[in-house]
Amino acid sequence: MTTLDPRPESLPQRVAESIQRDKPFSEDERDRMKAVMNSLLLHIHASKVPARSLKFTYTFGLGGLSLLLIMMLIVTGIMLMFVYTPSPDSAYTDMLALQSTVAFGQLIRNLHHWSGNLLLVVVFLHMLRVFYTGAFRHPREFNWVIGVGLLLLVVMANFTGYLLPWDQLAYWAVTVGTSLLDYVPVVGEQISLLILGGPEVSGATLRNFYGLHLAIVPMMILMIVSVHIFRVRRDVGTVPRNLDEEPLKRLEKVTTLPHLVSREAVFAIVMIGLILLWSTWVNAPLEEAANPDHSPNPAKAAWYFMGLQELLLHFHPFFAAIVIPALALGGLMMLPYLRTDMDTEGVWFRSRMGRKLAWIGFFTGLIATPLLVLLDEYVVNLPDLLPSLPTIISNGWVPLAGILLLLILYAGMLKRVFHAASCEVRQSVFTLLLTGFIVLTIIGIAFRGEGMALMWPWEV
Ligand code: HEM
Ligand code: HEM
């Protein structure tokens, strides 16, 4: 029997019947459908949220935007799969086909390219918003660590995607990027051989990157994002407040539906519109086909690795590629576990003093980083000054110890002069290092030309 039961029991059957009858839904049917939708949403959100956590300038919607971009990447990525073949003979011609013969091919590629790059920026900004509003405090420490893992995965997704167009940009950026692995002690060479599928970037690398890019990395992102969102819900989102004076229970609450969900929907629609508009006007870059025999000068890494490439010009490679990134990552993961003396949560920059010290950190990083780069480039050459020492010491341990000492002096000075709390001093040091990293990345991208020599952006 395929005809519908006159009094169907289940809601889907009744909905199907209602559509077949071309009759509006009854009051009861509407209520039940609403209940299904609500309980779906209430898996992600609590039924009520504190009114003040809805303020846009608190989160800037950055976590939600990251989720939206991931969904857009999956949809556009699957569309690209229909056209793209991961082989050196066809990858580049597939890109040309996307630009010319495939209907909406250029737009889909642009959407995927810009969403991927934007995701990296948005996830990074989301991390900064969590840090600067102190939203990593207990009980969210572990979710912060999960977040750092997500940031690394998003970098990996972008990096493995970078090679796929198989043009000169892709080939040489991945050659430079993967050469960093050679500096990993003991296992570096083996890992490099495994990932590249041989001694250099080749068809085997393209196939490996394709597998990583389409299956392994997105699957890991999806799994870990699910845990991340589950923890956000379970740990109860941070609410901007003074911890001593405003207990959570006393704050005014509003229902998630419609207050939060309607805002999320409007934000998502506006963002999709803006990304579509941008992708209609600005094409993803494509250079000539990859040529392993002709290296461009300078051969630069992907933009998000330019800070590291710049460090390589100043430190012994083992320090630039391994020790400093490992210290930075370790420090980032440990941040929420350090003793905290904050008396606010969810408040941007913690306090008035916190904001002032963050500005000081910013300006110190902005001035000190270019000065140190110029000093190292034109004035001081540590290996020449300390010829009796191996370069791993003279150009590794020595400058690193010098910088750490300067940071300790900086933190001590802030504490003494401003009588600041530890969390405010820590925030200032974080801002200084963050600004330093961004300045190094900008120098690498815009101020390095032929032979990686320093020059003005218009000469590069
Ligand atoms: C976080 C997730 C992802 C990120 C950040 C990302 C990023 C990228 C980037 C930056 C490119 C190079 C685009 C270009 O310049 O042409 C790319 C290419 C590609 N991606 Fe993804 N992607 C993601 C997920 C996916 C998924 C889930 C799929 C498929 C199921 C996919 C399929 C592809 C394909 C087929 C290409 C080659 C075509 C092309 O380069 O336009 N991607 N991806
Ligand atoms: C793919 C990457 C990511 C996605 C999709 C994502 C998604 C989200 C969403 C939707 C929220 C709740 C809304 C909001 O606060 O904006 C959130 C909160 C949070 N995220 Fe992420 N996130 C990602 C990466 C990160 C990173 C890199 C970190 C830090 C290293 C991080 C740490 C946190 C923490 C601690 C919270 C709780 C904040 C609070 O309670 O106010 N997340 N995330």
Side-chain angles (χ1 to χ4, degrees):
M1 275 285 281
T2 50
T3 51
L4 282 169
D5 184 333
R7 283 300 312 152
E9 284 302 307
S10 71
L11 182 67
Q13 271 178 305
R14 288 178 63 190
V15 173
E17 192 205 26
S18 185
I19 292 167
Q20 221 175 43
R21 276 188 279 142
D22 199 16
K23 223 175 87 181
F25 300 116
S26 71
E27 199 68 12
D28 173 44
E29 283 164 344
R30 271 176 213 274
D31 284 350
R32 290 186 61 188
M33 277 190 286
K34 232 179 185 172
V36 170
M37 275 312 290
N38 286 3
S39 52
L40 246 177
L41 284 167
L42 296 181
H43 274 85
I44 310 172
H45 293 304
S47 56
K48 285 188 169 183
V49 284
R52 63 172 77 166
S53 68
L54 293 185
K55 205 169 161 208
F56 181 68
T57 50
Y58 171 49
T59 65
F60 289 96
L62 293 165
L65 182 55
S66 310
L67 273 182
L68 178 75
L69 288 169
I70 290 176
M71 286 186 247
M72 285 181 65
L73 280 161
I74 293 176
V75 173
T76 50
I78 291 175
M79 288 177 176
L80 288 170
M81 277 172 69
F82 293 126
V83 176
Y84 180 82
T85 318
S87 126
D89 298 330
S90 49
Y92 185 72
T93 44
D94 290 344
M95 289 295 126
L96 297 179
L98 279 170
Q99 287 184 345
S100 51
T101 46
V102 179
F104 297 109
Q106 178 79 66
L107 177 66
I108 303 293
R109 173 168 180 242
N110 291 349
L111 278 171
H112 196 77
H113 176 93
W114 294 121
S115 303
N117 283 273
L118 184 63
L119 177 66
L120 196 52
V121 177
V122 170
V123 170
F124 192 71
L125 291 177
H126 168 61
M127 178 180 82
L128 295 188
R129 120 55 205 154
V130 170
F131 174 76
Y132 283 113
T133 57
F136 54 81
R137 280 183 76 249
H138 184 73
R140 299 177 198 90
E141 303 96 325
F142 187 59
N143 218 12
W144 168 274
V145 177
I146 292 179
V148 176
L150 279 173
L151 179 66
L152 291 180
L153 282 169
V154 170
V155 172
M156 269 184 76
N158 267 297
F159 184 59
T160 50
Y162 209 102
L163 182 65
L164 303 185
W166 202 250
D167 61 348
Q168 276 290 74
L169 201 67
Y171 185 91
W172 290 101
V174 171
T175 301
V176 173
T178 47
S179 67
L180 295 181
L181 284 171
D182 296 342
Y183 303 113
V184 178
V186 192
V187 287
E189 208 174 312
Q190 255 56 41
I191 298 179
S192 172
L193 273 176
L194 187 76
I195 293 180
L196 297 186
E200 60 198 30
V201 177
S202 64
T205 320
L206 190 55
R207 280 190 300 278
N208 284 355
F209 272 44
Y210 187 70
L212 285 168
H213 186 75
L214 267 80
I216 299 180
V217 179
M219 230 156 60
M220 286 173 73
I221 290 183
L222 279 183
M223 274 178 349
I224 300 180
V225 160
S226 315
V227 180
H228 189 61
I229 302 298
F230 166 74
R231 294 289 307 221
V232 171
R233 170 86 165 81
R234 213 188 66 173
D235 298 339
V236 184
T238 313
V239 190
R241 69 200 167 102
N242 190 317
L243 287 171
D244 302 330
E245 296 160 19
E246 298 169 294
L248 262 183
K249 279 189 206 133
R250 261 203 266 142
L251 300 178
E252 183 210 346
K253 289 197 168 182
V254 292
T255 49
T256 298
L257 263 165
H259 298 281
L260 173 58
V261 176
S262 58
R263 278 161 215 242
E264 286 177 338
V266 170
F267 181 64
I269 291 167
V270 170
M271 290 318 295
I272 293 174
L274 288 178
I275 296 167
L276 257 171
L277 213 64
W278 175 268
S279 301
T280 312
W281 293 110
V282 190
N283 284 341
L286 188 70
E287 292 192 353
E288 63 269 37
N291 180 357
D293 298 326
H294 180 252
S295 143
N297 187 359
K300 290 193 180 181
W303 64 266
Y304 35 87
F305 285 148
M306 283 312 296
L308 275 187
Q309 201 178 356
E310 179 64 30
L311 272 185
L312 271 169
L313 298 171
H314 304 289
F315 282 87
H316 183 279
F318 178 63
F319 275 76
I322 311 297
V323 177
I324 297 177
L327 280 176
L329 264 180
L332 206 58
M333 291 209 184
M334 266 175 46
L335 259 180
Y337 296 100
L338 299 178
R339 193 182 63 81
T340 162
D341 48 6
M342 283 183 232
D343 46 19
T344 58
E345 93 172 0
V347 174
W348 276 92
F349 303 107
R350 331 250 185 273
S351 60
R352 210 179 261 263
M353 173 67 83
R355 186 181 293 263
K356 183 166 151 185
L357 297 195
W359 276 114
I360 294 178
F362 170 72
F363 284 116
T364 312
L366 197 65
I367 295 166
T369 317
L371 282 182
L372 285 175
V373 168
L374 290 172
L375 198 72
D376 185 50
E377 189 90 4
Y378 299 118
V379 186
V380 183
N381 189 335
L382 285 173
D384 285 357
L385 280 180
L386 306 163
S388 56
L389 297 175
T391 50
I392 192 160
I393 297 182
S394 62
N395 216 18
W397 284 114
V398 172
L400 182 65
I403 287 176
L404 289 179
L405 189 72
L406 284 176
L407 284 176
I408 292 170
L409 288 175
Y410 173 80
M413 184 271 295
L414 289 186
K415 235 182 163 133
R416 191 175 273 239
V417 175
F418 296 98
H419 306 290
S422 303
C423 69
E424 292 159 345
V425 173
R426 212 177 289 150
Q427 177 180 252
S428 181
V429 174
F430 178 92
T431 311
L432 196 165
L433 291 173
L434 171 78
T435 313
F437 173 69
I438 294 173
V439 170
L440 284 180
T441 305
I442 294 174
I443 293 177
I445 294 173
F447 291 83
R448 292 275 175 195
E450 212 168 296
M452 291 305 271
L454 272 181
M455 46 187 75
W456 294 110
W458 49 91
E459 294 169 349
V460 170

